[in-house]
Amino acid sequence: MSEKGIIRKCKAVDCDITTINKGVQDDLFLSCISYEPRSVGVLEKLNKEYRATTGLFVINKKFQNFSKVQENKMNVNNALEKFLFFKNTDYILTSIDNPIKIIIEIDKILKRDFQNKKSSGITITLDITAFPRCELLPLIYYLRHLSYVNSIRILYACPEGYGNWLSKGYKYSTIPPFFEGPPTFEKKTGLLLLTGFEYDRAIALIDDLEPSTVIIGRPIPGTSSNFVNKSDKIIDKLKQTRKVKSQIYDIPADNPFLCKKLIEEIIEQQSKNFDFYVSTMGTKLEVLGTYLAYEAGMKNPKFRVIYPIPLAYNVGDYSYGIEAFYQFSL
Amino acid sequence: MPIENPFTVYSPEQLTPKAFREIFVKEHTWINALETPKDFFVEGSRGSGKSMLLNYLEFSHQLCYFMNNLDSFFEQKDRKYFGIMVHVTQEELNTSTYELLIRNNLAKRNFIESVCMHDLTMAILYRLLKTFTDDKIMRGYINNLDKTKTVAFCDQQLKSLDKRRKHSFDFSKKCTNSNLLTKLAEIFLKERKSIKYYAYDTFQVREAIYDGNYSNFTFMNSFINNFKILIGREDFSFYILMDNGDDAKITMQKCINKYISQRKHDNYCIKIAIKKGTIWNKDKIQWLHDYSRIDIDEMYSAARDVYNKRIKQIANIRLKIVDITADIEDFLIESPTERELFEKIKSELTERYEKEYYSKYNKKLDDEEQISKSDYVNNRVNKYTQAELFRRLKKTPKSYAGFQNIVHLSSGIIRQFLDICSNMFTVEEMKQKKNEIVKIGLKTQNDVIKKYADDFMDELEEKYKSLEKQEFTHEEAKRYKDLYVLIESLGCYYKELLMDKTLKEPRVFTFTLRDPGTNPHVDQIVELGVNENYFQFYWYSSKSGVGKYRGYAFNRRLCPRYGIDHTSFRGRRELTTADLVATIKTGKIPKSRGYKITLDKFVGE
């Protein structure tokens, strides 16, 4: 099992995922099936001896009938038939507009399957690869606050590369439940933007919030080879179009623990003059980093998390291949 | 206050009260109306100046206008109010907590609405106390109040609120009056946190017990009443200024409506700024009876002189601040060649229509008839000179440079004016050294203006093309695409009309829809056009006096793209839903109905 704070990275070809504790089956395996091929990457890399009591697959209602999602679901079914990884298998339909639904549904399943394990505790393997961020954050909050969770192992499949575009346009911004931060902003507004590839949403968020300062988190080194180049282009474009006072920090995008540390430092430095929104548009590992930074200050939250929802996703060609798998424990 | 670019757009929070006072122009606005103790909805496009209006009313800004002299502020004869800014987003009143509780059936609706009302009340009262205790001058005043009375006030309010005996604080402790009020404010904040913790537990499907209190307008009214007695200002009212109101979700909107419906204007009233196109359910409140309305976009279009004066004043103040001595009309020069041509055409037409008048009426004119002649001539000259200018330019691109032209192009949205000028200044900066800029060149102005127009349509094109790429957003993509086609078609059509010498009113800018509601898709497209700011919506009354029609004027920012007149307020084309359907299909306005251009009066709602 991964020690807490240590990240293991293995190349896709070499990866062989076993249970959290050797010889002991996991209690819950949780994953999200989306339109990306890598959304079933972790499942396909499970050792044939891998076992968990319950396998739970989350599918976004909006995408459920899309051919790539159906295809991935079929691959999951085939794998499950072949290897009998789970005693129970469930599928949940969820929606970005109702991020609490996922918690309610998981809670029912936990009560069904692990009522008698409350005293000894359960272990969870969570494949975060394809989870939408607005649902991932409340989900992790929920799991971390369950009193009978002994450990959560996080798995993440990073792609070989991304499509020409990931998402387009901007619909609205949302603050995920549990991440509202301080009940009131007393100071000027700041925005810490952990950039990804999408200019539209970044600029729309700046226009919406009208922050007095924008701090741009440049993802370094990124989880795949072309990540940094693409991200730099977006940062340049942002700097050219807006005269908002902005600073750039390099954010470790492949290490949530270091990412957490840097977010905390930035917020601490700036919090004298600004109340912050933090938006993670970079890697999923940065989302974890943001979660950890938020959790560390839970008693007196220092920032709000905000996420801009796009108009459209590139469901046909979002990403391809799997370069490596990341594994760590919370 | 240092400004690099004199036309930089600032959000109000970026301005200190002193800087705000330097930059804000209160003449030619609705300040007089807003300063009355009534509930108001202030509606307008993004950038129309809603936040600036509310910020003017805010206490610390008002105090700055009185040179931070509290006595002068208190002694004013009228306008006796304390403006308390309750920013919906910053105060987290835009939370989706209540919607999620309702949607997932996690609690009874009545209970959720009660808790939401309490959240709103606590947020307002927290901000009220903080406004007073954060301001150094007001803090000093509060600390000089009778200590016993302050303690009694805090005790009484806490007792009145805290029926569940959750909070214990000894207000008779040795500390300043402002610290006591700060303590009370912290209790209000704790009440808001109770709601949050309850919601968190509920979301995690735990047994959740709400252990907070409840409050509503009754508590707030009593609080404000007693607070006014405490500070010795019973003649003042509290204006609750809710900026970013469009961010409030339905449950919170309902609570705000309940406040509005109370109409306790001697103690408080609500002034809420919402973006145009916001869906706000006003079922339980009535316009005029419960609240008043200011539609900034509409008012500016109806009173363009007012807007012109306002913009001029704003621009000149900003130039002065960066030590540019030129007047804005000299800073943003217009094309001298076009001005010359315009004057030439004007003379020619004056001569022509004078001859025409004489040949029609053919007699010696007395004074009354002279007036009539001048009306005859001036009407025609005003109507046709600009159109003739466009025609004579032929293939030479029309210049839209010049202060007056840019005022028109901004379509009544101050931010649009500032954005255009800010871009121009940036471009000019790159050509010249900053401290040598005495004017913006014609080429710079025209290049920026054309790009500004094209960018606007490019955004729309980009939007529908993005949506087209995803199979389940095709419907939405179609709406945006149809809007794009409609605008392009109208642009080309308005150009054809402008070039037509035979038309009585060539400077057509607007279409009216005779039969809305007959095709939901068309209605959606037109509404989308309004919400996204491509059209500005007006009511027109028919010349026959029967009924009113919906009119949709181009956002003038688009005019340079099609080479059409951006100054016109006259004339419109009457279209039917069938015409729009055909336009979207073919990319052209159908000519089968012939031109039907009327000059009916524009009226406000």
Side-chain angles (χ1 to χ4, degrees):
Chain A
M1 168 171 127
S2 301
E3 288 169 36
K4 289 185 182 180
I6 295 181
I7 300 172
R8 293 187 205 285
K9 177 180 174 182
C10 62
K11 286 196 174 161
V13 288
D14 300 331
C15 215
D16 182 47
I17 300 171
T18 58
T19 51
I20 296 169
N21 296 311
K22 197 177 176 182
V24 180
Q25 71 178 26
D26 289 349
D27 290 300
L28 178 66
F29 175 90
L30 188 46
S31 180
C32 179
I33 302 174
S34 78
Y35 42 79
E36 290 183 80
R38 62 178 174 138
S39 69
V40 295
V42 163
L43 189 79
E44 286 172 351
K45 282 293 174 181
L46 290 177
N47 182 286
K48 60 179 185 202
E49 303 301 320
Y50 177 89
R51 293 291 180 273
T53 309
T54 303
L56 189 48
F57 295 91
V58 172
I59 302 173
N60 192 309
K61 210 170 163 182
K62 202 171 166 183
F63 302 128
Q64 61 171 323
N65 293 324
F66 188 65
S67 55
K68 293 217 171 179
V69 175
Q70 301 263 341
E71 189 184 310
N72 283 336
K73 195 180 171 195
M74 199 155 46
N75 290 340
V76 166
N77 287 337
N78 292 342
L80 295 184
E81 268 176 34
K82 195 172 171 185
F83 293 112
L84 302 172
F85 290 133
F86 313 121
K87 189 177 161 196
N88 309 312
T89 307
D90 292 277
Y91 295 90
I92 303 176
L93 285 180
T94 63
S95 155
I96 290 172
D97 295 334
N98 187 1
I100 295 304
K101 180 117 193 311
I102 191 175
I103 294 173
I104 294 171
E105 296 302 316
I106 289 175
D107 190 79
K108 284 180 196 167
I109 288 162
L110 289 177
K111 279 177 176 139
R112 183 193 72 192
D113 294 348
F114 304 110
Q115 199 63 22
N116 58 352
K117 286 203 95 177
K118 282 196 173 173
S119 46
S120 53
I122 63 172
T123 54
I124 300 175
T125 289
L126 173 60
D127 170 16
I128 63 170
T129 307
F131 269 98
R133 287 147 215 259
C134 297
E135 290 175 280
L136 180 59
L137 282 165
L139 173 63
I140 294 183
Y141 182 99
Y142 164 70
L143 293 174
R144 288 278 281 173
H145 285 78
L146 274 177
S147 55
Y148 54 94
V149 171
N150 285 341
S151 67
I152 303 173
R153 173 180 57 173
I154 305 287
L155 294 170
Y156 174 67
C158 81
E160 278 175 25
Y162 291 94
N164 287 332
W165 63 283
L166 302 184
S167 72
K168 293 267 185 190
Y170 168 78
K171 208 168 175 179
Y172 62 90
S173 287
T174 185
I175 296 175
F178 310 118
F179 294 89
E180 294 92 351
T184 172
F185 270 12
E186 305 285 354
K187 303 168 209 137
K188 290 185 187 177
T189 307
L191 172 64
L192 170 55
L193 188 62
L194 306 183
T195 55
F197 296 163
E198 291 127 311
Y199 172 77
D200 293 348
R201 287 195 281 158
I203 206 70
L205 190 58
I206 294 173
D207 281 343
D208 254 2
L209 293 177
E210 293 186 320
S212 293
T213 191
V214 176
I215 295 177
I216 293 177
R218 179 172 173 258
I220 294 285
T223 48
S224 58
S225 47
N226 61 355
F227 202 101
V228 176
N229 286 339
K230 275 190 163 182
S231 177
D232 277 349
K233 283 181 183 157
I234 299 302
I235 292 171
D236 284 340
K237 211 172 163 185
L238 281 173
K239 278 160 67 183
Q240 279 166 28
T241 51
R242 283 294 180 269
K243 291 192 170 52
V244 179
K245 223 165 120 183
S246 63
Q247 303 163 62
I248 299 178
Y249 284 78
D250 285 345
I251 300 276
D254 61 350
N255 187 321
F257 304 104
L258 293 179
C259 178
K260 167 215 179 214
K261 198 162 172 267
L262 193 50
I263 291 173
E264 284 175 323
E265 278 170 18
I266 293 169
I267 300 289
E268 189 59 42
Q269 268 171 28
Q270 304 280 338
S271 60
K272 193 178 167 198
N273 299 315
F274 301 100
D275 283 315
F276 267 89
Y277 286 95
V278 173
S279 185
T280 64
M281 295 173 63
T283 65
K284 283 280 168 55
L285 298 177
E286 282 178 298
V287 174
L288 262 294
T290 307
Y291 171 80
L292 291 170
Y294 189 88
E295 186 186 67
M298 194 73 80
K299 283 190 177 157
N300 226 355
K302 297 257 166 67
F303 58 88
R304 281 180 196 161
V305 176
I306 193 164
Y307 186 68
I309 309 279
L311 278 176
Y313 290 94
N314 182 359
V315 295
D317 180 33
Y318 194 94
S319 68
Y320 57 89
I322 297 174
E323 192 174 272
F325 291 90
Y326 289 79
Q327 186 177 184
F328 54 93
S329 285
L330 288 183
Chain B
M1 180 186 70
I3 305 179
E4 288 184 357
N5 182 323
F7 305 108
T8 303
V9 174
Y10 292 100
S11 69
E13 80 157 33
Q14 292 168 316
L15 299 167
T16 61
K18 188 164 176 258
F20 182 93
R21 202 184 71 190
E22 281 177 9
I23 218 171
F24 181 72
V25 170
K26 62 175 180 166
E27 288 80 21
H28 321 299
T29 63
W30 302 269
I31 294 294
N32 288 343
L34 277 175
E35 284 188 310
T36 56
K38 287 183 196 172
D39 299 305
F40 268 94
F41 278 90
V42 180
E43 289 179 44
S45 308
R46 189 190 180 85
S48 56
K50 306 182 292 297
S51 297
M52 294 295 269
L53 284 176
L54 290 193
N55 271 272
Y56 172 80
L57 303 175
E58 196 270 333
F59 173 69
S60 58
H61 290 116
Q62 275 296 297
L63 195 56
C64 194
Y65 277 95
F66 285 88
M67 308 301 164
N68 291 328
N69 187 319
L70 207 50
D71 289 331
S72 306
F73 177 79
F74 285 152
E75 280 159 19
Q76 52 183 320
K77 282 193 185 148
D78 44 18
R79 307 182 314 144
K80 287 176 177 282
Y81 63 88
F82 296 109
I84 308 295
M85 183 60 74
V86 180
H87 195 284
V88 168
T89 309
Q90 286 172 7
E91 301 300 329
E92 223 205 294
L93 293 172
N94 61 342
T95 179
S96 48
T97 296
Y98 307 108
E99 272 54 44
L100 287 171
L101 286 170
I102 291 171
R103 192 169 169 179
N104 292 294
N105 292 317
L106 293 172
K108 287 189 177 156
R109 193 182 273 267
N110 282 348
F111 165 74
I112 294 168
E113 287 178 4
S114 301
V115 162
C116 182
M117 177 61 91
H118 180 55
D119 194 13
L120 174 63
T121 309
M122 292 292 98
I124 292 173
L125 293 179
Y126 170 83
R127 193 41 68 191
L128 186 155
L129 290 174
K130 284 292 281 179
T131 301
F132 279 40
T133 54
D134 281 353
D135 182 87
K136 191 177 165 189
I137 294 162
M138 197 61 188
R139 196 164 58 237
Y141 176 83
I142 285 169
N143 285 335
N144 285 331
L145 297 172
D146 185 291
K147 183 55 163 270
T148 318
K149 286 182 181 173
T150 310
V151 169
F153 167 80
C154 292
D155 268 333
Q156 179 201 24
Q157 295 310 312
L158 183 58
K159 201 173 167 187
S160 176
L161 170 73
D162 188 16
K163 300 281 191 266
R164 289 179 154 186
R165 301 283 179 265
K166 262 199 72 188
H167 308 281
S168 59
F169 182 77
D170 183 6
F171 286 106
S172 62
K173 260 187 195 173
K174 210 173 179 181
C175 60
T176 61
N177 288 342
S178 58
N179 281 347
L180 291 179
L181 293 180
T182 303
K183 225 38 220 169
L184 192 57
E186 284 170 11
I187 288 170
F188 294 157
L189 205 61
K190 279 184 187 164
E191 284 288 321
R192 294 195 72 198
K193 284 182 182 174
S194 295
I195 296 171
K196 203 185 274 199
Y197 297 145
Y198 164 78
Y200 285 4
D201 282 344
T202 311
F203 290 155
Q204 293 172 88
V205 202
R206 289 184 196 161
E207 199 168 309
I209 298 165
Y210 175 64
D211 65 351
N213 289 289
Y214 297 90
S215 67
N216 60 15
F217 32 78
T218 309
F219 177 77
M220 181 150 123
N221 195 44
S222 159
F223 182 98
I224 287 178
N225 211 28
N226 288 314
F227 188 69
K228 280 167 29 170
I229 295 170
L230 174 70
I231 63 171
R233 294 291 142 211
E234 289 155 80
D235 50 342
F236 270 64
S237 179
F238 282 79
Y239 290 3
I240 310 302
L241 311 166
M242 302 191 81
D243 199 2
N244 246 51
D246 36 273
D247 245 8
K249 309 292 185 288
I250 293 173
T251 312
M252 190 59 74
Q253 286 182 10
K254 279 187 185 169
C255 294
I256 295 169
N257 286 351
K258 280 185 183 163
Y259 264 101
I260 289 172
S261 67
Q262 298 305 304
R263 289 184 285 134
K264 296 278 184 204
H265 298 146
D266 49 342
N267 276 340
Y268 68 84
C269 54
I270 310 252
K271 295 171 200 295
I272 179 159
I274 57 175
K275 260 184 241 162
K276 192 141 199 170
T278 301
I279 298 167
W280 190 289
N281 190 337
K282 293 177 186 152
D283 278 354
K284 303 271 189 227
I285 50 174
Q286 283 181 328
W287 179 41
L288 297 177
H289 180 66
D290 291 314
Y291 68 90
S292 300
R293 235 185 107 233
I294 289 173
D295 184 329
I296 297 183
D297 298 344
E298 207 174 83
M299 294 293 279
Y300 272 143
S301 300
R304 52 193 181 276
D305 289 344
V306 167
Y307 179 66
N308 195 310
K309 284 177 188 164
R310 182 138 198 256
I311 286 278
K312 189 164 184 175
Q313 212 168 337
I314 290 171
N316 277 331
I317 283 171
R318 281 169 169 259
L319 286 178
K320 200 173 165 188
I321 287 171
V322 298
D323 297 324
I324 293 175
T325 52
D327 183 87
I328 190 64
E329 303 226 36
D330 299 321
F331 190 76
L332 296 170
I333 53 163
E334 65 170 333
S335 164
T337 344
E338 273 192 24
R339 173 49 53 182
E340 213 181 295
L341 182 57
F342 181 87
E343 294 301 331
K344 185 180 171 211
I345 295 168
K346 198 172 170 181
S347 300
E348 286 172 16
L349 292 182
T350 306
E351 210 183 304
R352 184 202 299 181
Y353 291 118
E354 277 181 354
K355 280 182 186 166
E356 194 179 274
Y357 184 86
Y358 284 126
S359 72
K360 262 189 178 169
Y361 299 100
N362 201 21
K363 56 184 175 178
K364 254 192 176 171
L365 299 169
D366 63 25
D367 280 344
E368 223 175 87
E369 283 156 338
Q370 286 283 8
I371 294 164
S372 173
K373 183 202 97 177
S374 75
D375 275 350
Y376 182 95
V377 170
N378 288 338
N379 255 337
R380 280 150 184 79
V381 167
N382 287 337
K383 208 193 287 188
Y384 298 121
T385 307
Q386 184 78 344
E388 184 60 23
L389 173 66
F390 273 86
R391 284 178 213 130
R392 288 206 198 175
L393 285 170
K394 288 185 190 170
K395 285 187 181 164
T396 313
K398 171 82 177 72
S399 169
Y400 291 88
F403 170 71
Q404 292 296 341
N405 286 326
I406 299 169
V407 170
H408 282 296
L409 289 173
S410 66
S411 285
I413 300 168
I414 297 170
R415 186 176 293 194
Q416 208 156 279
F417 175 85
L418 291 173
D419 260 347
I420 296 171
C421 293
S422 178
N423 291 346
M424 287 176 183
F425 191 89
T426 304
V427 171
E428 197 69 25
E429 246 185 329
M430 294 196 290
K431 291 180 182 173
Q432 307 180 38
K433 284 184 194 159
K434 210 189 314 183
N435 56 5
E436 288 176 9
I437 298 176
V438 293
K439 64 179 181 187
I440 307 283
L442 287 177
K443 186 171 188 310
T444 302
Q445 289 187 60
N446 280 310
D447 286 346
V448 167
I449 286 166
K450 182 71 178 28
K451 187 172 186 307
Y452 198 62
D454 288 338
D455 282 352
F456 201 21
M457 286 304 282
D458 287 347
E459 273 168 35
L460 186 54
E461 188 180 14
E462 177 73 21
K463 214 171 227 177
Y464 84 70
K465 282 187 174 170
S466 315
L467 290 166
E468 268 178 346
K469 289 181 185 212
Q470 197 171 268
E471 51 182 66
F472 43 81
T473 50
H474 281 178
E475 248 182 70
E476 204 172 346
K478 188 168 177 357
R479 278 199 289 276
Y480 279 97
K481 188 175 183 179
D482 289 351
L483 176 63
Y484 183 91
V485 170
L486 178 62
I487 295 168
E488 291 276 83
S489 309
L490 284 168
C492 295
Y493 182 59
Y494 292 148
K495 178 73 176 190
E496 281 176 30
L497 297 178
L498 183 64
M499 292 302 169
D500 189 335
K501 284 190 178 187
T502 65
L503 287 180
K504 271 190 178 172
E505 179 47 76
R507 295 156 65 206
V508 173
F509 200 70
T510 304
F511 73 90
T512 53
L513 199 53
R514 291 201 76 125
D515 55 349
T518 46
N519 184 317
H521 180 69
V522 165
D523 288 343
Q524 276 175 356
I525 292 165
V526 173
E527 195 185 323
L528 186 64
V530 171
N531 290 342
E532 301 277 327
N533 246 338
Y534 292 92
F535 300 136
Q536 285 176 321
F537 168 70
Y538 307 107
W539 285 104
Y540 286 86
S541 63
S542 83
K543 213 171 181 181
S544 59
V546 179
K548 287 194 294 191
Y549 299 122
R550 293 164 180 264
Y552 301 93
F554 250 20
N555 184 326
R556 289 150 202 275
R557 175 182 171 181
L558 292 167
C559 293
R561 180 177 171 87
Y562 308 105
I564 58 177
D565 181 32
H566 54 302
T567 63
S568 171
F569 277 87
R570 303 166 65 90
R572 52 189 174 84
R573 177 78 167 87
E574 284 183 10
L575 297 173
T576 63
T577 301
D579 291 333
L580 294 187
V581 170
T583 304
I584 288 163
K585 203 174 171 185
T586 62
K588 283 190 175 172
I589 302 285
K591 288 186 182 171
S592 55
R593 292 180 73 249
Y595 299 143
K596 191 171 178 187
I597 295 150
T598 61
L599 295 173
D600 294 342
K601 265 194 185 157
F602 151 76
V603 289
E605 187 174 3

